[in-house]
Amino acid sequence: MSTGWRPGSDRSIASAATGVESMTATVLVLGGGVGGVVAATELRKSVSATTRVVLVDREPDHLFPPSLLWLITGKRTARQITRPLDRLVKRGIEVIRGSVEVIEPAARRVRIVEHGVSRDIEAEYLVVALGAELAPETIPGLAESGHNFFTLAGAESLRDALADFSGGRIVVLTAAPAYKCPAAPYEAAMLILDHCRRRGTEAAVQVDLFAAEPGPMGVTGPEVSAQVRRMVEDSGVGFHPEHQVTKVTGKTITFTNGTTADFDLLAYVPPHRAPRVVRDSGLIGDSGWVPVDRNTLLTRFPGVYAIGDVAGIPLTMGKPLPKAGVFAERQAGVVARNIAHAMSGEVAADQFDGHGKCFIEIGGGKAGFGGGNFYAEPVPLITLHRPSRRWHAAKILFEQNWLRRRI
């Protein structure tokens, strides 16, 4: 695909091949989520002052996704877990609030629509960090019947619904087997029940989790998956694995196995897919995501990287690397440092090693903590620590540090 250049288009003149930066050298970061923010800020610290670091996002604010779980239960507000992306301007990053309409990876050229005006930007290096597109509309009746708590608006509407909920059945649903933040629906179910317990409505409430997958966080292996399942069931949440939803009609969910489930309140994780602009760009592989070198995050196009949820990285065990903020953060740092090395004419030596970790909130002021090497063979080598108040406090500290230091 080629759109050609128009008068007024942004165009830099540095050469990625020579490693020589000019006054108009540009590194373009698409997406203002975890990966995009880290890539842009680390690049700004690593490349010369003459290099433009440009971040593009259609939203004005950066959202810290892990805190949506606390927003659901009224422990956070939207203001507490978001920060204006314009704050990055003070760090020397050019922030464009616009939608990405066309990506031409071979030319490292992107078309952006900002305030109704279309323009093209060409860069020496392009970092695609556009995340996953949430697609509840692919399941008939899903969007109209429940609350998508993976979005800020959906988490707020679920919070408001829970505030008025006095009794009945609450269903937490994963609409597809693969989704970002693999622990999140399990945490949500436990935190919702804990919220009802604190409100004194527990006796009148039943919380059930219907999962499309065979077990929680299957990529971590059977032992860790079983540990998480015990956490869920010990909390009082009913767990129903391998229930793939086909439609939602009124207050009834229908599954492929022929069973149905009625609910009074539905909280769901929708199907995920790569954003349309990425699907149309030629970057997508057979998995439906962008294939990358698992160590460098480089795509098949020179100078073009994909990080975070939009990237597809198969593991030896046959499952993909989970989509999680911790991986996006670490991948972004690797890519930023390697771009800086390349622009200075040095060998790009940093590698993403597949290590990651996460907290698992269970309610009652406690959380578990797990992590390890997801690149280990033949299966990931993961350790899960028992829930305690220590890990809950550590998650609060992590949230505060992120929102204070990253943006």
Side-chain angles (χ1 to χ4, degrees):
M1 181 188 304
S2 177
T3 60
W5 285 100
R6 305 184 310 279
S9 296
D10 290 350
R11 186 172 187 173
S12 54
I13 58 175
S15 170
T18 63
V20 177
E21 298 184 38
S22 78
M23 290 298 291
T24 53
T26 299
V27 183
L28 184 58
V29 180
L30 306 181
V34 170
V37 165
V38 174
T41 52
E42 292 299 311
L43 278 162
R44 185 67 284 165
K45 291 186 292 186
S46 303
V47 298
S48 76
T50 60
T51 300
R52 293 174 68 202
V53 176
V54 183
L55 183 142
V56 183
D57 198 280
R58 63 185 177 189
E59 299 294 338
D61 297 322
H62 169 79
L63 168 69
F64 185 64
S67 296
L68 286 174
L69 293 168
W70 289 335
L71 186 148
I72 288 170
T73 55
K75 294 184 177 180
R76 295 290 187 276
T77 64
R79 185 174 181 179
Q80 289 175 310
I81 64 174
T82 57
R83 295 291 183 270
L85 284 169
D86 281 345
R87 285 189 174 191
L88 297 176
V89 174
K90 294 181 179 179
R91 302 192 183 192
I93 297 165
E94 184 179 338
V95 177
I96 297 176
R97 183 183 175 188
S99 60
V100 179
E101 295 298 314
V102 177
I103 301 173
E104 298 181 60
R108 295 186 297 277
R109 183 160 55 228
V110 176
R111 176 162 293 168
I112 297 165
V113 176
E114 182 182 12
H115 305 303
V117 178
S118 175
R119 62 166 162 152
D120 291 342
I121 300 179
E122 188 176 78
E124 280 60 57
Y125 294 93
L126 176 63
V127 182
V128 181
L130 289 170
E133 178 180 282
L134 306 182
E137 69 278 5
T138 60
I139 305 293
L142 182 62
E144 299 81 9
S145 303
H147 305 269
N148 174 8
F149 62 92
F150 269 33
T151 68
L152 179 58
E156 289 182 315
S157 67
L158 178 57
R159 174 202 61 199
D160 296 344
L162 285 170
D164 296 331
F165 194 77
S166 58
R169 190 187 201 189
I170 302 173
V171 167
V172 177
L173 173 74
T174 65
Y179 46 86
K180 61 183 179 179
C181 306
Y186 299 92
E187 294 178 282
M190 290 186 283
L191 290 176
I192 286 170
L193 184 56
D194 180 67
H195 177 65
C196 294
R197 188 174 293 129
R198 288 186 287 106
R199 293 183 67 233
T201 60
E202 179 188 9
V205 172
Q206 176 183 350
V207 178
D208 286 293
L209 195 159
F210 287 84
E213 59 269 23
M217 304 167 62
V219 71
T220 60
E223 183 177 341
V224 172
S225 180
Q227 287 178 272
V228 178
R229 178 168 182 164
R230 283 195 295 272
M231 289 181 192
V232 172
E233 294 179 329
D234 288 349
S235 75
V237 172
F239 179 56
H240 311 272
E242 297 186 280
H243 278 68
Q244 177 69 63
V245 58
T246 59
K247 64 179 180 179
V248 183
T249 307
K251 294 289 186 178
T252 301
I253 307 167
T254 301
F255 300 99
T256 56
N257 59 13
T259 64
T260 61
D262 295 331
F263 62 87
D264 298 291
L265 180 61
L266 175 62
Y268 67 84
V269 179
H272 291 26
R273 63 189 177 194
R276 176 198 56 78
V277 68
V278 179
R279 299 198 306 269
D280 293 344
S281 69
L283 283 165
I284 296 296
D286 293 339
S287 69
W289 303 96
V290 181
V292 295
D293 181 288
R294 63 187 257 160
N295 299 123
T296 65
L297 291 306
L298 187 65
T299 71
R300 65 187 181 92
F301 296 94
V304 180
Y305 299 82
I307 61 174
D309 297 343
V310 78
I313 301 177
L315 302 178
T316 302
M317 68 180 299
K319 295 180 181 292
L321 181 75
K323 299 183 184 302
V326 63
F327 296 126
E329 179 183 9
R330 300 189 72 241
Q331 291 167 359
V334 167
V335 168
R337 289 187 292 273
N338 282 342
I339 289 175
H341 288 317
M343 295 188 84
S344 300
E346 302 172 2
V347 176
D350 276 21
Q351 293 193 335
F352 172 62
D353 59 10
H355 282 75
K357 55 191 176 183
C358 76
F359 299 95
I360 304 176
E361 290 281 314
I362 69 167
K366 294 182 179 181
F369 180 74
N373 182 7
F374 285 80
Y375 279 1
E377 297 180 358
V379 295
L381 187 60
I382 310 300
T383 300
L384 179 61
H385 299 278
R386 294 178 60 183
S388 69
R389 296 189 182 279
R390 169 194 176 191
W391 297 122
H392 175 70
K395 183 178 178 181
I396 293 174
L397 182 61
F398 175 71
E399 174 202 51
Q400 293 172 344
N401 285 339
W402 177 275
L403 291 169
R404 182 173 63 249
R405 297 178 180 178
R406 281 296 186 185
I407 190 167

